[in-house]
Amino acid sequence: MKNVGSSPADATAGWAAAEPAAQQGQAAPNAGDGPTRQLVARMVLEQGPVTAVAVAEHLGISATAVRRHLDALVADGEAWVRESTRRGRRGRGRPAKLFLLTESGRARFGHAYDDLAVSALRFLAEQSGEQAVRSFAKRRMAALVEHHREALAAGETVAERARVLADALTREGYAASTRNVGSGEQLCQHHCPVAHVAADFPQLCEAETEAFAEVLGIHVQRLATIANGDAACTTHVPNVWSEGRVEGRSEADHDAVEQGTAEREPKQQETAPIPHDGGEPV
């Protein structure tokens, strides 16, 4: 990443106009941001904690315009504010506001996390074998779902658990949803934070599928993945519990059947998951 340091405003603006975002090692500005907000965010990144007045002086634009962009960054969760600590004699008025970027704000300028993760997993595979990569993937997913296990266990039907799982995944950054497809639910993840890494290490997707089956209590089938170039990660969740346990049957009834103390019931044949129709999941 280039460091514009304390260069004057015209040099900063010229640098931003001359180089594409990719060459600057940063993500493209969000839609509607405009180049000025990106310059303001960069100033906060490099000089923060910094006041709006200092940013305005450095960029050569009005403090009012800078405050508008800073307020927008704060509202979007990309920056936060703290009051400056006055030194020496205390003057009149409130302490100046100092602006800093949050982790979300820093993401504007890109990270090498994907490259680092791929390199680390390749090293792990070389040093300890593919099984070590699978173990890592399983532990990662176990930690992710553990936070939501209690809510998932409260679901009385497969559909309810699938919806709870979708909500949990959304909170983890996967933008997930479900839809009924007759023979069950389709769990769709419209975003994958580790897609680029999973393209090289499918063990991440495999561990995710296994974790879904474990927390839902039923065999699931992965139909599509973003890492494989599909529009969404799609998992079919059939509406029949594992081991022939159908929806509506309580845990106590299921345990009683396993112990042979309940009346024998014909074991319902599991319905095979429907094939993916190839269309984009909703």
Side-chain angles (χ1 to χ4, degrees):
M1 183 185 297
K2 285 195 175 183
N3 183 5
V4 298
S6 57
S7 57
D10 55 349
T12 303
W15 168 83
E19 287 195 80
Q23 293 179 0
Q24 297 172 27
Q26 67 185 56
N30 294 335
D33 279 358
T36 303
R37 185 169 304 172
Q38 190 73 355
L39 287 173
V40 170
R42 176 170 286 278
M43 275 297 304
V44 178
L45 174 73
E46 295 176 349
Q47 305 293 331
V50 64
T51 65
V53 172
V55 174
E57 290 176 351
H58 187 93
L59 297 180
I61 58 179
S62 72
T64 300
V66 168
R67 288 191 181 93
R68 183 172 64 251
H69 289 296
L70 289 172
D71 288 343
L73 291 170
V74 172
D76 291 341
E78 296 188 35
W80 62 285
V81 187
R82 67 175 173 83
E83 292 185 346
S84 64
T85 302
R86 292 180 184 267
R87 294 182 179 179
R89 196 169 182 178
R90 187 179 185 88
R92 293 184 177 180
R94 300 181 60 184
K97 291 182 178 180
L98 297 175
F99 293 85
L100 303 93
L101 290 189
T102 63
E103 188 62 30
S104 175
R106 291 175 182 274
R108 280 176 166 262
F109 303 95
H111 293 296
Y113 291 161
D114 285 353
D115 292 341
L116 178 63
V118 169
S119 296
L121 288 175
R122 282 178 180 162
F123 179 80
L124 182 63
E126 291 170 2
Q127 296 296 312
S128 304
E130 294 297 322
Q131 183 57 44
V133 176
R134 283 191 287 272
S135 296
F136 165 80
K138 289 181 178 180
R139 177 174 294 186
R140 172 184 172 273
M141 280 308 303
L144 187 149
V145 301
E146 186 62 34
H147 300 297
H148 311 284
R149 190 174 295 277
E150 185 175 343
L152 286 162
E156 296 183 357
T157 66
V158 172
E160 288 179 7
R161 290 193 178 191
R163 286 191 291 271
V164 172
L165 179 58
D167 290 341
L169 289 170
T170 295
R171 289 193 292 273
E172 298 290 345
Y174 288 83
S177 63
T178 61
R179 65 168 179 173
N180 185 271
V181 291
S183 63
E185 302 290 321
Q186 272 197 2
L187 174 64
C188 301
Q189 298 156 253
H190 303 280
H191 175 65
C192 177
V194 297
H196 291 96
V197 181
D200 288 334
F201 292 93
Q203 297 95 326
L204 296 175
C205 297
E206 294 166 6
E208 187 176 88
T209 305
E210 292 175 6
F212 291 173
E214 193 268 325
V215 297
L216 293 172
I218 193 169
H219 174 75
V220 301
Q221 182 179 6
R222 181 57 63 89
L223 304 177
T225 63
I226 294 174
N228 199 39
D230 298 299
C233 297
T234 309
T235 306
H236 182 72
V237 184
N239 58 10
V240 179
W241 293 106
S242 58
E243 300 181 358
R245 178 174 160 226
V246 299
E247 287 192 21
R249 195 182 210 176
S250 68
E251 291 283 352
D253 289 342
H254 179 64
D255 293 341
V257 170
E258 290 295 316
Q259 298 169 11
T261 57
E263 294 183 5
R264 292 186 173 272
E265 296 179 7
K267 185 175 182 179
Q268 180 170 333
Q269 184 175 0
E270 292 189 8
T271 305
I274 63 170
H276 186 41
D277 58 12
E280 183 174 336
V282 178

